[in-house]
Amino acid sequence: MAEAQQHIDFIEVKAEDIMAERLQGWELFTQATKWGIGAVIVLLAALYLLWG
């Protein structure tokens, strides 16, 4: 059986790269939270208007 050839390039990870990635994740999380809260409010208002 033939051996699979693997080559891995290691690059330096800088603190700025890590912080940028975490900042982007936080911004996506807060945006999704805002949309989720808005959707719940609209859903509750619709339920109140239909069956309230």
Side-chain angles (χ1 to χ4, degrees), residues 5-32:
Q5 298 294 325
Q6 295 182 357
H7 179 72
I8 300 173
D9 289 328
F10 292 100
I11 59 171
E12 181 181 0
V13 178
K14 297 181 181 178
E16 294 86 16
D17 298 335
I18 295 171
M19 289 304 297
E21 184 178 326
R22 289 184 180 179
L23 181 60
Q24 180 187 13
W26 178 253
E27 289 173 356
L28 290 174
F29 170 75
T30 55
Q31 182 181 11

